[in-house]
Amino acid sequence: MDTTQRTEQQRSADRRRRELLEAADRVVLRDGPQASMNAIAAEAGITKPILYRHFGDKSGLYAALATRHTDALLDSLRAALDAPADRRERVEATLDTYLAAIEARPQVYRFLMHPAEGSQSDPGSDQGFDVGKHTAPLLRRMGEELAQVIEDRLDLGPESQQLARVWGHGIVGMMHAAGDWWLYERPCSRADLVRILADLLWGRLAAAGDKVGGPGF
Amino acid sequence: MDTTQRTEQQRSADRRRRELLEAADRVVLRDGPQASMNAIAAEAGITKPILYRHFGDKSGLYAALATRHTDALLDSLRAALDAPADRRERVEATLDTYLAAIEARPQVYRFLMHPAEGSQSDPGSDQGFDVGKHTAPLLRRMGEELAQVIEDRLDLGPESQQLARVWGHGIVGMMHAAGDWWLYERPCSRADLVRILADLLWGRLAAAGDKVGGPGF
DNA sequence: CATCTGTGTTACTTGCGGTAACACTAATGT
DNA sequence: ACATTAGTGTTACCGCAAGTAACACAGATG
């Protein structure tokens, strides 16, 4: 009973699964998050039941697809965060890496961040589903990873763990919201956005002076 | 042709519309964002076509519903942001107001932030739909409002407009992501969360010292 | 009195997620 | 060699939700 020993059929199944995932990827890239199972099956040259055998249900397929992209993105973010440079440079590099990724493939970004409905499909079942279960897992994973980095590398006193986790999720949320808005409105260059966000994290909000005698005040 | 003069029938229709919205509200509060049109109609004691006559389609109903809650939340946030106190206190009060709101009515929060599919339903139509169109409008509105406040009240030099908008969306995103995570995990009290986030905005990340000689590093 | 406006219905279409039930092929074990 | 098993694939269906006719009725309005 060696579980690591894969039979010929199993390896063929894995290969097929990868092919199906690639087909699904193409469809999602073309149609966005609302790609239907029928469309994906058609793209793969087969019919629905096979998809369901491989991935259980739509959430399963989406999860498998999301995991691939999420892992890839997280890898590049980790690289930027681990570069040998001072803290501000690393932060800017990480922000820029994220923004470059969503800029390069906005359809993938939409799929990861706005997964239509996902999960919790079966209304006849008993599953309760808590608040927050729908949040894109990518945000959570990024938040947790950043929290870990912060906690490992920064000296934050006794509360360090709580601080790091809040900051991790908070900073990731800042990056996400600003990036989402920027991608849609394109109000400035990527470099400008990166610098302005880093300035915010570096306390420039607290340091700014009050505006006195503005127009009408 | 006085458009302000409403006939008896029109006022009755408005009243009915409000009643339907309240019924929809109850259902969404009970069932979450995936409430079906059938369920809402049943709660209102009528059948589907009437809903469609009043709101066009599901997105229309959702938009009408979201607008109500969004307006209410934005009002209370504005109040917190306009209180007579120093900047840090106002920021903390605003954060706390937001967190208290999502804590008090998580179902409403879920509905506003994760509106299932919404919009862009009709695939046969010609609408192109850009990236970001799916984002919950609440986040965008909060970001824009905060940006305006920042620009009006802070002295940020020549780039002030761009800075204010980026910061507005960034800070709102930080608040949202941290709040979402906090609501799900409940890792600390609301007051702690508020303080830690304010510390982040006040530059404590930049000021922290590097950790030296940690376990294994 | 006719008309227009809004309320309400039943019955339908379309499309999607998901599932039987069944046929075929090839690696596998005795 | 032969049955078993594990995989691929199909057609045809169910249930459900969004959305749409087509039609009946009541009351304000001219």
Side-chain angles (χ1 to χ4, degrees):
Chain A
M1 288 284 188
D2 187 350
T3 57
T4 70
Q5 188 172 19
R6 316 211 58 106
T7 126
E8 185 58 34
Q9 293 174 15
Q10 278 172 325
R11 289 198 296 106
S12 151
D14 288 355
R15 192 168 53 245
R16 196 82 185 94
R17 182 189 166 99
R18 255 190 300 276
E19 290 170 13
L20 297 183
L21 268 180
E22 272 156 35
D25 214 18
R26 286 193 297 274
V27 176
V28 165
L29 219 66
R30 169 161 41 83
D31 297 352
Q34 74 279 15
S36 81
M37 295 298 268
N38 260 324
I40 293 172
E43 169 71 29
I46 52 157
T47 51
K48 275 192 299 178
I50 305 181
L51 283 181
Y52 284 95
R53 276 222 269 274
H54 274 278
F55 302 103
D57 62 353
K58 192 172 186 168
S59 315
L61 206 180
Y62 277 22
L65 214 49
T67 300
R68 295 179 72 183
H69 289 114
T70 300
D71 288 349
L73 178 56
L74 279 171
D75 280 347
S76 55
L77 290 179
R78 266 189 290 264
L81 208 48
D82 282 338
D86 71 21
R87 194 183 303 164
R88 165 112 190 190
E89 279 178 68
R90 286 199 311 257
V91 167
E92 292 199 359
T94 308
L95 288 170
D96 193 64
T97 300
Y98 173 83
L99 295 171
I102 73 173
E103 183 180 31
R105 312 182 79 198
Q107 290 281 13
V108 171
Y109 166 70
R110 270 183 65 191
F111 164 71
L112 289 178
M113 289 305 189
H114 310 287
E117 30 197 358
S119 334
Q120 165 242 21
S121 41
D122 191 13
S125 185
D126 60 330
Q127 36 195 354
F129 272 90
D130 295 338
V131 173
K133 201 71 177 179
H134 289 268
T135 318
L138 171 54
L139 279 184
R140 292 295 172 90
R141 286 186 65 188
M142 288 197 295
E144 287 298 325
E145 295 235 5
L146 181 54
Q148 198 57 53
V149 169
I150 290 174
E151 196 191 345
D152 284 348
R153 304 230 251 259
L154 259 54
D155 184 16
L156 292 168
E159 284 186 313
S160 75
Q161 193 176 341
Q162 246 184 21
L163 259 151
R165 294 192 81 202
V166 172
W167 287 4
H169 290 281
I171 293 172
V172 164
M174 178 203 78
M175 175 174 80
H176 165 239
D180 197 274
W181 161 79
W182 170 78
L183 194 58
Y184 185 55
E185 302 226 348
R186 291 308 181 107
C188 60
S189 74
R190 212 171 73 209
D192 281 347
L193 182 62
V194 166
R195 181 177 42 80
I196 293 174
L197 286 176
D199 277 355
L200 174 60
L201 289 176
W202 254 250
R204 212 179 137 189
L205 169 70
D210 281 320
K211 190 176 251 180
V212 289
F217 283 87
Chain B
M1 287 288 187
D2 188 349
T3 57
T4 70
Q5 189 173 14
R6 318 207 56 96
T7 106
E8 185 57 33
Q9 292 175 18
Q10 278 172 324
R11 288 198 297 106
S12 151
D14 287 357
R15 194 169 50 245
R16 197 81 185 95
R17 183 190 165 98
R18 256 188 300 275
E19 290 170 14
L20 297 183
L21 269 180
E22 272 156 35
D25 215 17
R26 286 194 296 275
V27 177
V28 166
L29 218 65
R30 170 162 40 85
D31 297 353
Q34 73 279 17
S36 81
M37 295 298 267
N38 261 324
I40 293 172
E43 170 72 27
I46 52 159
T47 49
K48 273 190 300 176
I50 306 181
L51 283 181
Y52 283 96
R53 277 222 268 273
H54 275 279
F55 302 104
D57 63 353
K58 191 171 188 170
S59 315
L61 205 180
Y62 276 23
L65 214 51
T67 301
R68 295 179 73 184
H69 289 114
T70 300
D71 289 348
L73 179 55
L74 279 171
D75 279 348
S76 56
L77 290 179
R78 265 188 290 262
L81 208 48
D82 283 338
D86 72 19
R87 194 182 301 163
R88 165 111 189 193
E89 280 177 67
R90 287 199 311 257
V91 166
E92 292 198 0
T94 308
L95 288 170
D96 193 64
T97 300
Y98 173 84
L99 295 172
I102 73 173
E103 183 181 32
R105 313 182 78 197
Q107 290 281 12
V108 171
Y109 166 71
R110 267 183 67 190
F111 164 71
L112 289 178
M113 289 305 189
H114 310 287
E117 33 197 355
S119 332
Q120 164 245 19
S121 43
D122 189 13
S125 185
D126 60 330
Q127 35 194 356
F129 273 89
D130 296 339
V131 172
K133 200 71 177 180
H134 288 268
T135 318
L138 171 56
L139 279 183
R140 292 294 172 92
R141 285 185 66 189
M142 289 197 294
E144 287 297 325
E145 295 236 4
L146 182 54
Q148 197 59 52
V149 170
I150 290 175
E151 196 191 345
D152 285 346
R153 303 230 252 258
L154 260 55
D155 183 17
L156 292 168
E159 284 185 315
S160 76
Q161 193 176 341
Q162 247 184 22
L163 258 152
R165 297 193 80 203
V166 171
W167 286 5
H169 290 282
I171 292 172
V172 164
M174 178 203 77
M175 176 174 78
H176 165 239
D180 197 275
W181 161 79
W182 169 78
L183 194 58
Y184 186 55
E185 301 226 348
R186 290 306 181 108
C188 60
S189 75
R190 212 171 73 209
D192 281 347
L193 182 62
V194 167
R195 181 178 42 81
I196 294 174
L197 286 176
D199 277 355
L200 174 60
L201 289 176
W202 255 252
R204 212 179 137 189
L205 170 70
D210 281 319
K211 189 176 252 179
V212 287
F217 284 87

